[in-house]
Amino acid sequence: MLTAFTASLLLITISELGDKTFFIAVILAMRHPHRTVFAAVFAALALMTVLSVALGQVMALFPKIYIHYGEIVLFLVLGLKLLYDASKMSAKSDAEIVHEAEEFIETQDSPSALASIPVFGESLRNILLKYSWLRLWMQAFVMTFIAEWGDRTQISTIALAASYNPVFVTLGAILGHGICTAIAVVGGSLIAGRISEQIITAIGGVLFIIFGVAAYFQGI
């Protein structure tokens, strides 16, 4: 249980710092009330965590030997890929990911984007139009959820949930997302320029490799 909690907490916290969803939260917090942005972004990431753990539990239905070696291969491949990506990153990488987040927000953070939000009935849509804070919450939630889908943190959560206690994987991952979201919302504008995407990516790669090696020896 402690391994599940610690592994998910470390992987999520390190991987999420400097990620696109991190900068989405930073930019939104610079434009809108912090509490609303934090609540929406954190809710989206928490829901994504629960869904990822559920997918991991489905994967756990496969024979244990496949899950074990699949987890090892996944962590090692992700780790090596992150290290390779870090080695290819230039000094402009940080600006590029911020620009990517800004472009994504510009396409979603507008009244016209409300039409793309899945709601049930015209009355609920009218409520969103009437209450600006609710519209902001909904838009921040949707854009965070979309940006997080298929991210390396989702993949790592699925892998961990397939092999470890799902409850503690969920708790560790949600806490990690909460820490990163709080950093982004409260002090993101101050530290965004000081976060090196290359260093964070490299650290994440090393962590994935460490957990891959640990998973191998755990099965011996």
Side-chain angles (χ1 to χ4, degrees):
M1 292 185 293
L2 181 60
T3 302
F5 179 82
T6 304
S8 58
L9 175 61
L10 285 176
L11 283 178
I12 296 301
T13 303
I14 296 298
S15 298
E16 198 67 26
L17 280 175
D19 199 10
K20 185 168 77 171
T21 51
F22 177 85
F23 286 108
I24 287 175
V26 171
I27 297 169
L28 287 175
M30 293 172 65
R31 301 179 179 181
H32 304 289
H34 289 185
R35 291 183 181 179
T36 305
V37 172
F38 176 84
V41 172
F42 180 65
L45 294 174
L47 176 60
M48 180 63 74
T49 298
V50 173
L51 293 176
S52 299
V53 170
L55 288 173
Q57 287 297 286
V58 173
M59 297 294 294
L61 298 176
F62 289 92
K64 293 295 183 182
I65 187 68
Y66 296 148
I67 297 298
H68 176 65
Y69 285 105
E71 178 191 19
I72 294 171
V73 171
L74 178 63
F75 281 137
L76 291 179
V77 169
L78 281 175
L80 292 173
K81 182 182 183 302
L82 289 175
L83 289 177
Y84 176 79
D85 290 343
S87 68
K88 295 298 182 180
M89 285 181 178
S90 63
K92 297 180 180 179
S93 297
D94 298 340
E96 289 172 357
I97 192 169
V98 173
H99 181 65
E100 181 182 353
E102 288 177 337
E103 284 188 335
F104 182 76
I105 289 174
E106 291 302 326
T107 61
Q108 301 290 331
D109 190 19
S110 64
S112 60
L114 186 64
S116 66
I117 295 178
V119 294
F120 300 95
E122 190 65 27
S123 59
L124 181 54
R125 190 182 303 278
N126 291 333
I127 292 174
L128 292 176
L129 287 170
K130 182 178 179 180
Y131 298 101
S132 59
W133 69 268
L134 186 57
R135 184 176 70 247
L136 166 63
W137 191 97
M138 196 71 169
Q139 288 178 334
F141 178 93
V142 170
M143 70 175 70
T144 302
F145 190 85
I146 293 173
E148 187 68 13
W149 189 264
D151 193 80
R152 61 177 179 260
T153 53
Q154 183 196 25
I155 297 173
S156 59
T157 302
I158 294 173
L160 287 171
S163 301
Y164 296 101
N165 186 297
V167 174
F168 285 88
V169 169
T170 303
L171 292 176
I174 289 178
L175 178 58
H177 281 304
I179 291 172
C180 291
T181 304
I183 292 173
V185 171
V186 176
S189 59
L190 297 176
I191 67 173
R194 297 181 174 86
I195 292 179
S196 171
E197 178 68 10
Q198 184 177 32
I199 294 176
I200 293 295
T201 301
I203 293 175
V206 171
L207 273 179
F208 275 105
I209 291 175
I210 289 174
F211 282 111
V213 172
Y216 171 77
F217 285 106
Q218 188 179 24
I220 294 179

